Amino acid sequence: MTLLQAERGRRDLAEPERATVLWPRSDTPRRELSSRTISAITILAALLAWTLVTRLGLVAPLFLPPPQDVLAKFWTVASQGFIDATLAQHLLASLGRVLAALVAATLVGIPIGLAIGASRVGRGIFDPVLEFLRPIPPLAYLPLIIIWFGIGESAKVLVIAIAMVAPIALSTASGVRNVQQDRLSAARSLGATRRQVIRFVVLPSALPSILTGLRIALGAGWTTLVAAELVAATRGLGFMIQSAAQFLVTDVVVMGILVIAAVAFVLELGLRFVERRLVPWAGRD
Amino acid sequence: MSTLTLSNIAVRYSGQPRPAVEGASLSVGQGEFVVLTGRSGCGKSTLLNAAAGLVVPEHGEVSVDGRPIEGPGADRAVVFQSDALFPWFSARDNVAFALRVRGIGERQRHALANELLRRVRLDGLGDKPVWEMSGGMRQRVGLARALAAEPDFLLMDEPLGALDALTRERMQTLLLDIWAPGNLGVLMVTHGIEEALLLGTRVVVMAPDPGRIALSFEAGFSRRYAAGEPVRSIKADPAFTTARAELADAIFEGEPA
């Protein structure tokens, strides 16, 4: 198999349903499974494997509890709670932190991105700062944040927000840089001021890119959540998982992981919906 | 009556050994329709961009009534081949943007934009998103937006280049109708030989390497349209056919067959 063929096979697996057909297949028109169906089968297979290994006693419940235990735990925690808070309270605490961080990171990240994309000076100032912050894992700067800001709620939000600023700023900058030259020329030749050009041409142009940045940032935010809730939290999904791990309550750990995944997925869908409403023209123009 | 004058313009893009345009002089008076034509790469668009103030010439000067221009300005509105519309705005808001820039209040903007859309025959389509429009409709929105600036000069860079033949013919008469009242000076770049003759009161032929003006002549066909003669009868005139052949010869002169 040549490299190209291998690449092709890999791409076919990864391709979403409505993807551009880069290599149309000339095969006979035999009925093919859509990638969505294949995804559903994959998930079912994973669930089945999970059920089997636990049922057959191949893995002790301490390491991997059976799915029905996790589900049962979900209901218990949802109704009675775990460590002084119900699942909804844990969830709301985490969601509140992630969303507060998103708002803060957006308010900071978009102007920074605008400065990087639109001005030489802005790029000179902020590029090294972002490049410095971006690769640092949240757990590494967490201690410093605690020393500086203590263990309150704002420190937790700050840890998450720091992880979110770079993706938002960089996506904004790339959106700003990719504004069609003709559109800028058109606005300028109509006599628009610099301010008007930025507000009515540059920002709307960059909006699809900014929204992509928000999506990436939300992902980064959830990733950072557990680290942020390491410190002096009394509520939150990350806190719940860690406490459960300390008492070896593995079913709560697994349940917590699944809940985080589900919430992140719902938020992703929500942002995609916002994208369709806000920038229906993206990709069609 | 204003006059847009380009004198002895030379433009060189960085990294290019030869200038894109050299020693080009040209003037466009209000009421004139000057067409720039020539082979690809002869600097037509560069010269137009210099007139717009979007490209700064290395030598020479662009002036309006003797006053040198300072960059782009609403007195010289531009229509782009790519239409350069703002897809986040409806058709009406694209036009209204030009009015907003002029400081016209919101209520007036709405009515004026509708009126301009009517002028380019897009009556009642103001709410339509531009990304749902056909190429011809989009170009007309772009035209209405340029007109909204109430320019003295309309600079058009191959505005009909991407349109199909039928749409193109309709757009040609639309452009003539807009120019005919005589208060606009038009400078337009086109590849179309017939288009150049039909629209231009003056046709300027450019030649490449370096981009320069090779020939400039008066044409009377658009004035005949303005006087009421239908396009079909103008095109059927043997004088039109002859002029067309001569223009083609002039454009391809010196080109190895």
Side-chain angles (χ1 to χ4, degrees):
Chain A
M1 194 153 77
T2 65
L3 264 178
L4 185 64
Q5 281 167 332
E7 176 68 14
R8 238 175 252 191
R10 214 167 55 73
R11 271 178 197 251
D12 280 352
L13 282 179
E15 215 98 67
E17 204 163 16
R18 278 173 295 132
T20 327
V21 182
L22 293 176
W23 292 280
R25 279 184 241 170
S26 53
D27 295 4
T28 46
R30 113 189 108 87
R31 246 162 51 110
E32 285 178 347
L33 296 173
S34 71
S35 63
R36 198 165 286 197
T37 317
I38 296 173
S39 302
I41 294 172
T42 309
I43 293 168
L44 282 177
L47 275 174
L48 189 69
W50 180 11
T51 314
L52 277 179
V53 288
T54 48
R55 246 315 139 72
L56 297 174
L58 295 176
V59 183
L62 176 64
F63 294 110
L64 184 64
Q68 65 270 26
D69 284 15
V70 173
L71 189 64
K73 205 64 177 188
F74 175 80
W75 293 118
T76 330
V77 178
S79 53
Q80 293 158 27
F82 182 78
I83 322 225
D84 301 332
T86 63
L87 185 59
Q89 285 168 325
H90 285 305
L91 175 62
L92 276 180
S94 293
L95 210 53
R97 283 171 195 140
V98 169
L99 292 182
L102 184 68
V103 171
T106 306
L107 290 179
V108 175
I110 291 181
I112 289 180
L114 203 56
I116 293 177
S119 112
R120 189 176 42 83
V121 179
R123 182 190 301 195
I125 294 173
F126 292 115
D127 232 15
V129 178
L130 285 186
E131 288 307 320
F132 170 74
L133 277 181
R134 206 164 50 97
I136 305 178
L139 274 174
Y141 55 73
L142 181 64
L144 195 59
I145 300 287
I146 293 169
I147 293 171
W148 286 353
F149 298 97
I151 51 173
E153 197 61 22
S154 54
K156 296 181 187 61
V157 172
L158 186 62
V159 170
I160 305 175
I162 289 174
M164 288 176 154
V165 167
I168 295 176
L170 294 176
S171 306
T172 306
S174 109
V176 168
R177 270 198 290 270
N178 290 330
V179 178
Q180 267 185 34
Q181 188 56 46
D182 273 359
R183 291 193 178 134
L184 291 178
S185 299
R188 289 206 300 142
S189 78
L190 291 170
T193 60
R194 198 178 155 78
R195 208 193 183 90
Q196 285 171 323
V197 170
I198 287 178
R199 171 155 171 224
F200 297 112
V201 182
V202 174
L203 273 180
S205 255
L207 193 55
S209 193
I210 293 173
L211 289 174
T212 305
L214 292 187
R215 268 165 55 188
I216 299 171
L218 262 183
W222 282 106
T223 312
T224 315
L225 182 70
V226 178
E229 291 177 350
L230 269 174
V231 185
T234 53
R235 263 174 206 181
L237 292 172
F239 161 76
M240 182 184 87
I241 291 175
Q242 283 164 42
S243 320
Q246 276 159 14
F247 301 117
L248 290 180
V249 192
T250 319
D251 44 10
V252 172
V253 174
V254 175
M255 187 269 285
I257 291 172
L258 291 179
V259 169
I260 289 183
V263 173
F265 181 67
V266 168
L267 284 180
E268 167 84 13
L269 286 187
L271 260 180
R272 282 193 199 175
F273 175 77
V274 170
E275 247 169 36
R276 275 199 303 275
R277 294 299 298 269
L278 230 49
V279 290
W281 47 270
R284 289 189 238 203
D285 197 89
Chain B
M1 283 287 167
S2 295
T3 307
L4 171 66
T5 310
L6 291 83
S7 45
N8 204 21
I9 299 291
V11 177
R12 188 193 297 269
Y13 293 117
S14 56
Q16 298 288 322
R18 279 165 171 278
V21 171
E22 198 170 61
S25 296
L26 183 73
S27 77
V28 185
Q30 269 181 294
E32 270 193 294
F33 199 131
V34 178
V35 175
L36 282 174
T37 186
R39 276 127 66 186
S40 295
C42 65
K44 308 181 291 283
S45 295
T46 303
L47 196 57
L48 183 119
N49 282 333
L54 295 169
V55 162
V56 180
E58 192 179 37
H59 297 297
E61 188 182 76
V62 181
S63 58
V64 175
D65 297 333
R67 285 185 310 276
I69 62 159
E70 296 161 5
D75 58 327
R76 288 155 285 125
V78 185
V79 174
F80 299 83
Q81 180 178 12
S82 71
D83 72 47
L85 294 180
F86 308 129
W88 43 90
F89 287 153
S90 66
R92 183 188 301 111
D93 287 345
N94 265 278
V95 180
F97 174 75
L99 301 167
R100 178 199 284 263
V101 163
R102 286 171 53 203
I104 293 172
E106 187 167 351
R107 196 179 296 168
Q108 250 186 312
R109 282 208 294 270
H110 194 87
L112 274 172
N114 279 342
E115 168 61 23
L116 284 156
L117 286 172
R118 199 188 51 74
R119 253 178 94 188
V120 296
R121 297 168 203 160
L122 286 176
D123 221 357
L125 292 174
D127 291 319
K128 205 171 167 68
V130 290
W131 51 269
E132 283 182 357
M133 289 183 152
S134 69
M137 287 161 86
R138 296 178 59 121
Q139 243 355 315
R140 281 183 277 165
V141 176
L143 185 59
R145 184 178 65 180
L147 293 174
E150 292 203 347
D152 295 329
F153 302 97
L154 190 58
L155 312 180
M156 299 190 280
D157 190 0
E158 291 191 49
L160 316 183
L163 304 182
D164 66 84
L166 290 175
T167 312
R168 196 169 177 145
E169 284 196 12
R170 276 200 204 151
M171 288 290 291
Q172 288 168 353
T173 50
L174 175 63
L175 291 181
L176 284 173
D177 289 338
I178 287 190
W179 156 80
N183 48 6
L184 263 182
V186 180
L187 180 62
M188 170 169 152
V189 168
T190 179
H191 273 120
I193 294 173
E194 191 173 284
E195 189 165 286
L197 272 181
L198 182 67
L199 301 183
T201 57
R202 192 141 43 85
V203 178
V204 176
V205 180
M206 293 186 70
D209 291 316
R212 63 194 186 277
I213 292 174
L215 176 72
S216 168
F217 64 90
E218 301 289 322
F221 301 106
S222 50
R223 301 244 187 250
R224 278 162 62 179
Y225 177 86
E229 188 176 344
V231 169
R232 197 168 297 175
S233 121
I234 295 172
K235 284 189 182 169
D237 185 343
F240 188 81
T241 324
T242 315
R244 196 182 137 168
E246 283 170 6
L247 177 56
D249 284 345
I251 289 173
F252 293 108
E253 195 177 77
E255 166 144 288

